[in-house]
Amino acid sequence: MIMSRIEAPRDEDSAAGTLVGRLLGVLPPDSVLTDPDVTASYAHDMASFCPAGTPAAVVLPRTVEEVQHVLRTATDLRVPVVPQGARTGLSGAANATDGCVVLSLTRMDRILEIDPVDRIAVVEPGVVNAVLSRAVEEHGLSYPPDPSSWETCTIGGNIGTASGGLCCVKYGVTAEYVLGLDVVLADGRLMTTGRRTAKGVAGYDLTRLFVGSEGSLGVVVRAVLALRPKPPAQLVLAAEFASAADACDAVCRVMEEGHVPSLLELMDRTTVKAVNDLARMGLPETTEALLLAAFDTADPAADLAAVGALCEAAGATQVVPAEDAAESHLLLQARRLSLTALEAVKGTTMIDDVCVPRSRLGEMLEGIERIAGKYRLTIGVCAHAGDGNTHPTVCFDAQDPDESRRARESFDEIMALGLELGGTITGEHGVGVLKKEWLAREIGPVGLEMQRAVKKTFDPLGILNPGKVF
Amino acid sequence: MIMSRIEAPRDEDSAAGTLVGRLLGVLPPDSVLTDPDVTASYAHDMASFCPAGTPAAVVLPRTVEEVQHVLRTATDLRVPVVPQGARTGLSGAANATDGCVVLSLTRMDRILEIDPVDRIAVVEPGVVNAVLSRAVEEHGLSYPPDPSSWETCTIGGNIGTASGGLCCVKYGVTAEYVLGLDVVLADGRLMTTGRRTAKGVAGYDLTRLFVGSEGSLGVVVRAVLALRPKPPAQLVLAAEFASAADACDAVCRVMEEGHVPSLLELMDRTTVKAVNDLARMGLPETTEALLLAAFDTADPAADLAAVGALCEAAGATQVVPAEDAAESHLLLQARRLSLTALEAVKGTTMIDDVCVPRSRLGEMLEGIERIAGKYRLTIGVCAHAGDGNTHPTVCFDAQDPDESRRARESFDEIMALGLELGGTITGEHGVGVLKKEWLAREIGPVGLEMQRAVKKTFDPLGILNPGKVF
């Protein structure tokens, strides 16, 4: 049936012709893009310095069956498949490889179910994070994971990269909200993992194996997500410090005293200045480090007062609680602008994602400053400080080969420092292309061998997002 | 070197002789038990109806190197290895197989580190749950997972079975507290997974793959655990209902209204009576269902008042908040006695562990009552009601073959009902031997095939806890 609908391949391009013909056997024409100008726009995510190839086609399926057909076809023809969400990732995990099918899940964007008693949502992978967040809010619920790109990134992408966000210090990462998945395997078979119940331990936890696997083990086509009751609006406090070390000391004191802030963020002087330059936010530029703490508890003002006192004890030069929700919102907006603002400094950035034990955060920031000096570079740091998760952001002029080389070297040296301090090369952005040479250094040869073995178990032909993670 | 220390095997038992000799090449004599009377006492956990074989030896290593030696030896000789904690499990996952080495991790019981800033503990697998819980409390911290057996069960066993407990409705299960692991693989190699940071996404999440794998993928020899700040003491409320349906309605209302109780437990009439019979607790025997709710918030009395009102709206005949911590403690003690009390009813029990979406809890309880009638059996139900996790407990006389058969059949019918209602055959006890025929029914043929493939990836010779899970 399908075969009869295949057009004869053009001589000069018979492999691609066969592929596209097979795809069009089941997918409608508007779901299979082959115009090189169009497909090129799907070639890469938001990471710098990551090679991206030329796709043979971009497919935009609307149903599980269509995804299965794409994978079956790719298996038959041994064509690589690169699953994609909104391409807001920062590690090149969604970058095309030459001759691949880009499998964009953005059209599978239905919220299938929201249940306030069971506190779950069932969604397709293309649902935008903010769309889901707003939809569940109407039911008095919250979906906590809030990556900076939450207005555009998709749940499928969040699952693929195991995204974090500002909320993680209290609410954890995406992985903790994924209860069950429907996954299309490399050969097109559909597998259901996990559960829709609050608990469940039937067999190995394959759900969590897929979270953060960057589309290299299978394609998520449906997810059961855990929700929480919507918390009270959070109130934010800003504390200025005369040194990054003091700010990190404050972070340690806050956590050691048992506080549970809903966010605990740090912006260094470079970042503060960049945000002011971009958006005239009026942040205090005399500070060496600005700490933002928030609580969404029953009495956030009381919690902020306690945290403010700890900041002062750690040497804060000024502690300013937001007067109300509007002021809180402004402070968070400033924080969320950080990466964009740093990009404006020199035109290009490499955003690192090193997470260290929070007790080592001070050493990490000190080391980053040393590395910036050594390589004569501007490196701004914003950090999910409560998690020890830093985003050292190297600002450079991509037209300047020497500065680009120094940027790349400093980026690597920051990762090495993170590992030395007992940290990880990636707290929430993933490995992708950008850090795959670093994975072995972090997890060691036995870990790497077993990870490769897992990959081979799920994708024996190596067609799923090849060249990523490893 | 090792070979020269092996004693010549006895003729009649050369395989076992070689095995024991090889083990004694590295482990001290007091760590290798072969007296059949002694080894028999390690043959099974606390599950009924699960076959257990005769071990060739029980080894009690004290170091990672000794565990590696055991696994290397087992690989060389193709001898099955059954990892064990305190054998408090309820699915036969720790049961010996004939000729196996029982690998008891109970002597590796050191708490290596507790860090209040990073909020982590690093432990060996033999640490008893309650010992860790008390140790971290001294630092103002809490390790939430609290299976009923917490006074005797080990962290390694908790990780192997992905244990739950009373706290899960607020604090989640063991899996959510395991950040990183050291695992000895089947061939004796040591692998480190995960991290000691708050976040980390470097490579596939092998940590979670090991949690709940019942010792069938590797042997956990060290764990990095996440801790939380110690919450305020919880205050408990008891609500009586004239029907289980009303109690389940109350559970749904409580969760739908966005409350976050620290526990939400249900005991049916049979369980209440059994507890009174065993321990004269003075629980109200006129009730059809007793609901216990607790809060460990800043103002638990206010939260309990709100929940009490919801219980009354759902038809509670009486709502009694505990006056103080002592009364709260007594109520929880009654709940924790449930399984022991039900065991006293007829001498033997089969404890099921079906978890359904909490919105289906009423149907589940109704179905269990129907099944009890059909099979003319006493089935007491206690449940982590807030999670929809029921423990229907079939009480029977093991000396009566007909009643035993009916017990087994009713047990299976309860699992079938759970699956029909969108639930899982096991919320927190695991598959082990007891439910392995049911796993395929829950996860389907593709899921089962991939789970088997994962097993084979980590244990190609099939020596790790064979005959469990699948």
Side-chain angles (χ1 to χ4, degrees):
Chain A
M1 300 282 284
I2 291 168
M3 295 304 288
S4 68
R5 294 170 63 182
I6 295 181
E7 294 172 77
R10 285 171 297 160
D11 284 345
E12 69 274 26
D13 198 359
S14 76
T18 306
L19 169 67
V20 171
R22 287 276 298 265
L23 293 172
L24 287 170
V26 167
L27 282 88
D30 77 315
S31 298
V32 183
L33 314 179
T34 54
D35 177 340
D37 290 340
V38 176
T39 59
S41 68
Y42 287 82
H44 57 83
D45 65 18
M46 290 176 65
S48 305
F49 280 122
C50 291
T54 304
V58 172
V59 296
L60 296 141
R62 289 188 177 84
T63 67
V64 173
E65 292 69 27
E66 288 180 358
V67 175
Q68 291 185 277
H69 178 70
V70 173
L71 272 296
R72 274 189 217 111
T73 303
T75 288
D76 286 353
L77 303 178
R78 306 291 193 267
V79 172
V81 174
V82 177
Q84 279 186 355
R87 298 193 312 282
T88 54
L90 292 165
S91 69
N95 284 13
T97 47
D98 279 332
C100 77
V101 172
V102 164
L103 178 56
S104 172
L105 283 308
T106 48
R107 282 188 188 164
M108 292 180 66
D109 62 353
R110 288 179 302 161
I111 298 173
L112 302 170
E113 197 181 334
I114 294 172
D115 188 318
V117 173
D118 293 332
R119 290 186 187 163
I120 59 168
V122 183
V123 302
E124 291 185 331
V127 172
V128 169
N129 181 300
V131 171
L132 176 65
S133 296
R134 289 184 190 118
V136 305
E137 261 193 40
E138 284 175 29
H139 296 267
L141 294 163
S142 126
Y143 177 69
D146 62 343
S148 295
S149 55
W150 75 300
E151 288 281 6
T152 49
C153 64
T154 64
I155 297 296
N158 296 169
I159 292 171
T161 57
S163 319
L166 303 190
C167 74
C168 304
V169 66
K170 179 166 183 178
Y171 294 107
V173 295
T174 297
E176 288 164 56
Y177 294 88
V178 185
L179 299 178
L181 294 172
D182 281 0
V183 178
V184 176
L185 299 175
D187 59 11
R189 286 181 301 167
L190 183 64
M191 178 172 78
T192 298
T193 72
R195 58 191 208 266
R196 55 177 290 146
T197 49
K199 291 150 84 180
V201 292
Y204 302 138
D205 189 348
L206 298 189
T207 305
R208 282 292 284 261
L209 193 61
F210 281 96
V211 177
S213 65
E214 302 185 347
S216 68
L217 299 178
V219 179
V220 170
V221 290
R222 188 175 147 279
V224 183
L225 303 173
L227 305 173
R228 284 175 174 260
K230 189 183 164 193
Q234 61 186 358
L235 210 56
V236 182
L237 164 153
E240 299 172 37
F241 292 87
S243 76
D246 286 351
C248 294
D249 181 29
V251 169
C252 291
R253 289 175 190 235
V254 168
M255 300 307 281
E256 190 171 20
E257 289 291 314
H259 291 287
V260 185
S262 51
L263 67 84
L264 188 52
E265 298 284 320
L266 183 147
M267 299 162 71
D268 73 352
R269 185 194 47 221
T270 305
T271 308
V272 166
K273 185 168 181 315
V275 170
N276 277 348
D277 288 350
L278 183 77
R280 303 176 197 280
M281 299 291 288
L283 296 175
E285 294 198 11
T286 53
T287 184
E288 285 297 312
L290 186 68
L291 205 62
L292 301 178
F295 285 86
D296 59 5
T297 49
D299 188 357
D303 289 316
L304 284 183
V307 163
L310 288 171
C311 287
E312 278 162 1
T317 53
Q318 188 144 14
V319 173
V320 187
E323 298 260 313
D324 52 28
E327 235 180 79
S328 291
H329 181 73
L330 264 180
L331 283 167
L332 293 191
Q333 219 178 349
R335 166 60 187 87
R336 286 192 185 274
L337 271 177
S338 297
L339 296 183
T340 311
L342 287 167
E343 208 170 304
V345 173
K346 302 271 279 185
T348 312
T349 53
M350 285 190 80
I351 302 164
D352 221 327
D353 176 39
V354 173
C355 189
V356 295
R358 66 176 71 89
S359 57
R360 315 297 296 270
L361 191 60
E363 290 164 83
M364 186 71 201
L365 293 198
E366 195 190 321
I368 293 166
E369 198 173 337
R370 195 176 58 237
I371 292 166
K374 175 177 167 187
Y375 288 98
R376 293 170 288 120
L377 288 164
T378 299
I379 304 180
V381 181
C382 55
H384 309 305
D387 293 321
N389 191 181
T390 65
H391 292 313
T393 304
V394 186
C395 306
F396 66 101
D397 175 359
Q399 307 305 316
D400 178 338
D402 182 65
E403 194 165 90
S404 297
R405 179 190 53 77
R406 283 183 278 127
R408 178 80 224 194
E409 285 176 16
S410 70
F411 187 80
D412 284 354
E413 199 160 322
I414 287 167
M415 281 192 279
L417 173 63
L419 291 181
E420 260 175 56
L421 295 175
T424 169
I425 56 168
T426 175
E428 58 181 10
H429 292 171
V431 174
V433 178
L434 190 65
K435 297 186 170 185
K436 63 182 184 170
E437 277 138 40
W438 282 83
L439 185 64
R441 287 182 63 165
E442 175 163 342
I443 68 178
V446 180
L448 192 68
E449 188 183 324
M450 294 319 297
Q451 298 235 347
R452 282 187 194 279
V454 167
K455 163 74 175 172
K456 200 161 182 184
T457 301
F458 284 89
D459 181 22
L461 300 174
I463 62 163
L464 281 172
N465 213 4
K468 313 297 164 55
V469 187
F470 306 113
Chain B
M1 299 283 283
I2 291 167
M3 295 304 289
S4 68
R5 294 170 63 181
I6 295 182
E7 293 171 76
R10 286 171 295 158
D11 285 346
E12 70 275 27
D13 198 0
S14 76
T18 306
L19 169 67
V20 172
R22 287 277 298 267
L23 294 172
L24 287 170
V26 167
L27 282 88
D30 77 314
S31 298
V32 182
L33 313 180
T34 53
D35 177 339
D37 291 340
V38 177
T39 59
S41 68
Y42 287 82
H44 57 84
D45 66 17
M46 289 177 65
S48 305
F49 281 121
C50 291
T54 304
V58 173
V59 296
L60 296 142
R62 288 187 178 83
T63 67
V64 173
E65 291 70 25
E66 288 181 357
V67 175
Q68 291 186 277
H69 177 69
V70 173
L71 272 296
R72 274 188 217 112
T73 304
T75 287
D76 287 352
L77 303 178
R78 307 290 193 269
V79 172
V81 174
V82 178
Q84 278 186 355
R87 298 193 313 282
T88 54
L90 292 165
S91 69
N95 283 12
T97 46
D98 280 331
C100 78
V101 172
V102 164
L103 178 56
S104 171
L105 283 308
T106 49
R107 284 188 187 163
M108 292 179 66
D109 63 352
R110 288 179 303 161
I111 297 173
L112 302 171
E113 198 181 335
I114 295 172
D115 189 317
V117 173
D118 293 332
R119 290 187 187 162
I120 59 168
V122 183
V123 302
E124 293 184 330
V127 172
V128 168
N129 182 300
V131 170
L132 176 65
S133 295
R134 288 183 190 120
V136 305
E137 261 194 40
E138 284 175 28
H139 296 267
L141 294 163
S142 127
Y143 176 70
D146 63 342
S148 295
S149 55
W150 74 300
E151 288 281 6
T152 49
C153 65
T154 65
I155 297 297
N158 296 169
I159 292 171
T161 58
S163 319
L166 302 191
C167 74
C168 304
V169 66
K170 179 166 183 178
Y171 294 106
V173 295
T174 297
E176 288 164 56
Y177 294 88
V178 185
L179 298 178
L181 294 173
D182 282 0
V183 178
V184 176
L185 298 175
D187 59 11
R189 285 181 302 167
L190 184 64
M191 178 173 77
T192 297
T193 73
R195 59 193 207 267
R196 55 176 290 145
T197 50
K199 291 150 83 180
V201 293
Y204 303 138
D205 189 347
L206 298 189
T207 305
R208 282 292 284 261
L209 194 60
F210 281 97
V211 177
S213 66
E214 302 186 346
S216 69
L217 299 178
V219 178
V220 171
V221 290
R222 188 175 147 279
V224 183
L225 303 173
L227 304 173
R228 283 175 175 259
K230 189 183 163 193
Q234 62 186 357
L235 210 57
V236 182
L237 164 153
E240 300 172 38
F241 291 86
S243 76
D246 286 351
C248 293
D249 180 30
V251 168
C252 291
R253 289 174 189 235
V254 168
M255 300 306 280
E256 190 171 20
E257 288 291 314
H259 291 287
V260 184
S262 50
L263 67 85
L264 189 52
E265 297 285 319
L266 183 147
M267 299 163 71
D268 73 351
R269 186 194 46 220
T270 305
T271 307
V272 166
K273 186 168 181 317
V275 169
N276 277 347
D277 288 350
L278 183 77
R280 303 175 197 280
M281 299 291 287
L283 297 175
E285 293 198 11
T286 52
T287 184
E288 285 297 312
L290 187 68
L291 206 62
L292 302 178
F295 285 86
D296 59 4
T297 49
D299 188 356
D303 289 314
L304 284 183
V307 163
L310 288 171
C311 287
E312 277 163 1
T317 53
Q318 188 145 14
V319 173
V320 187
E323 298 258 314
D324 52 29
E327 236 180 77
S328 291
H329 181 73
L330 263 180
L331 283 167
L332 292 190
Q333 220 178 351
R335 166 61 187 87
R336 285 192 184 275
L337 271 177
S338 298
L339 296 183
T340 311
L342 287 167
E343 208 171 303
V345 173
K346 301 271 279 185
T348 312
T349 52
M350 286 190 81
I351 302 164
D352 221 326
D353 176 39
V354 173
C355 189
V356 295
R358 65 176 73 89
S359 57
R360 315 298 296 271
L361 191 59
E363 291 165 82
M364 186 70 201
L365 293 197
E366 194 189 322
I368 293 166
E369 198 173 337
R370 195 176 59 238
I371 291 166
K374 174 177 167 186
Y375 289 98
R376 293 170 288 121
L377 288 165
T378 299
I379 303 180
V381 181
C382 54
H384 309 304
D387 293 321
N389 191 182
T390 65
H391 292 313
T393 302
V394 186
C395 306
F396 65 102
D397 175 0
Q399 307 305 314
D400 178 339
D402 182 65
E403 194 165 271
S404 297
R405 179 191 52 77
R406 283 183 279 126
R408 179 80 224 194
E409 285 176 15
S410 70
F411 186 81
D412 283 354
E413 199 159 322
I414 288 168
M415 282 192 279
L417 173 63
L419 291 182
E420 260 175 55
L421 295 174
T424 169
I425 56 167
T426 175
E428 58 181 9
H429 293 171
V431 174
V433 178
L434 190 64
K435 298 186 169 184
K436 63 182 184 170
E437 278 139 38
W438 281 82
L439 183 64
R441 288 182 63 165
E442 175 162 342
I443 68 178
V446 180
L448 191 68
E449 188 183 323
M450 294 320 295
Q451 297 235 346
R452 283 188 194 277
V454 168
K455 162 74 174 172
K456 200 161 182 184
T457 301
F458 284 90
D459 180 23
L461 301 174
I463 63 163
L464 281 172
N465 214 5
K468 312 297 163 56
V469 187
F470 306 113

